[in-house]
Amino acid sequence: VNWGVSLLDFDLDGDNDAYICNGHFLKHAKTIEPNTDFAVANCLMENLRNKQFRNSSAEAGAALQHVASSRGCAFDDLDNDGDIDGVIVNVDTNCQVLENRSVAENHWLQLKLVGQTSNRSAVGAKVRLKVAGRTLFAEQLNGRGYQSYYGSVISLGVGAAQLIDQVEITWPGSGK
């Protein structure tokens, strides 16, 4: 059972990767269905940009080898180093803190949006970023999913690009 599915750019290359929290809600799940269990490994899927994802859990570090029954996740740049870190909520055991230690030399842009005429949290604001011939898109969300949260800062990886061509923000209810 998947609980906290998130699409975020963990390697800052300009496309959203997927993190999936897994864990069955039945402690005896394996006796009902031999292909599953109560505790199941979580999964990190790298976006390959060709409408395909690759399971990169094995090389993502020891934290992704931990098997538990997860129920949710919170993602944000917890240590203010530009990449996305996480906290995983597990059943019958401690939460896990995932520090992103990617060695990629990619760049990023982070935006903390504060609404003045729209809602103060800027929920619903849309960001379009033009960089190196690509257009990246993000939307400010609030919450998302069971026991999950995906940060109050919009974080966009721009890969090796050192110059951003344009940033456009569309505020909720304003058109621009």
Side-chain angles (χ1 to χ4, degrees):
V1 178
N2 308 122
W3 295 93
V5 179
S6 62
L7 293 170
L8 295 164
D9 189 359
F10 293 102
D11 54 6
L12 303 174
D13 64 353
D15 52 35
N16 286 333
D17 308 299
Y19 188 92
I20 305 164
C21 285
N22 299 306
H24 211 285
F25 54 91
L26 298 174
K27 291 198 177 197
H28 63 285
K30 193 164 193 75
T31 62
I32 298 168
E33 173 55 55
N35 292 327
T36 191
D37 207 340
F38 177 68
V40 181
N42 293 329
C43 184
L44 178 63
M45 303 294 288
E46 178 187 4
N47 189 333
L48 300 178
R49 284 196 193 164
N50 58 359
K51 299 182 183 178
Q52 293 183 356
F53 286 82
R54 177 183 75 84
N55 188 338
S56 60
S57 303
E59 59 261 21
L64 265 82
Q65 307 314 308
H66 179 75
V67 177
S69 188
S70 298
R71 287 297 183 272
C73 49
F75 287 105
D76 213 339
D77 183 3
L78 300 175
D79 52 6
N80 293 316
D81 65 352
D83 54 30
I84 303 297
D85 308 297
V87 177
I88 309 303
V89 178
N90 297 312
V91 175
D92 296 337
T93 189
N94 297 330
C95 294
Q96 291 174 268
V97 177
L98 307 178
E99 181 185 358
N100 188 337
R101 294 185 182 168
S102 298
V103 294
E105 296 180 14
N106 292 331
H107 301 280
W108 69 91
L109 173 70
Q110 290 183 341
L111 301 169
K112 171 69 173 164
L113 303 179
V114 178
Q116 293 179 0
T117 58
S118 63
N119 64 83
R120 184 123 174 99
S121 299
V123 174
K126 295 172 178 52
V127 175
R128 288 188 197 286
L129 184 70
K130 292 188 179 180
V131 58
R134 297 178 67 199
T135 300
L136 307 178
F137 174 81
E139 182 174 0
Q140 182 64 52
L141 302 170
N142 187 16
R144 249 198 303 171
Y146 180 72
Q147 296 187 23
S148 298
Y149 178 69
Y150 301 101
S152 58
V153 175
I154 289 180
S155 183
L156 294 158
V158 298
Q162 296 186 20
L163 179 67
I164 294 170
D165 301 314
Q166 181 181 2
V167 177
E168 177 183 304
I169 301 172
T170 305
W171 295 92
S174 71
K176 284 284 177 193

